[in-house]
Amino acid sequence: MSACQCRVKVNEKLKPFNTQITAVYSISAGGLGMPLPISTSQIETGRGKAKAMGLYASFCPFCGVSLKDPAAGQEASP
């Protein structure tokens, strides 16, 4: 199974708008991956407030294919 090409296709469609999908690489027990970032923002700001967390899709939101490298094996459970 090969990785989907949605990221490339979507970037081509976004190019006329001077926009592209942010590329993110992650390293975990399962190997190197390239998840798609999902935009998040902090609700409350100020001293003592938790910072916004990053949220990343492990499956392509456009076609549903896993974004994990199939050769790297399964990712470890938390």
Side-chain angles (χ1 to χ4, degrees), residues 1 5-8 14 17 21 24-25 36-37 42 44 46 51 54 57 61 71 75-76:
M1 176 184 234
Q5 294 298 309
C6 293
R7 193 181 306 250
V8 174
L14 291 173
F17 302 100
I21 295 174
V24 175
Y25 295 93
L36 283 171
Q42 193 168 329
E44 296 181 61
K51 301 296 180 195
E75 189 168 320

Side-chain angles (χ1 to χ4, degrees), residues 9 14 28 30 35 38-39 48 54-55 59 68-69 71-72 74-75:
K9 292 175 186 175
L14 291 173
S28 67
I38 298 169
S39 180
L55 183 61
F59 288 83
K68 297 177 189 170
D69 182 4
Q74 294 184 345
E75 189 168 320

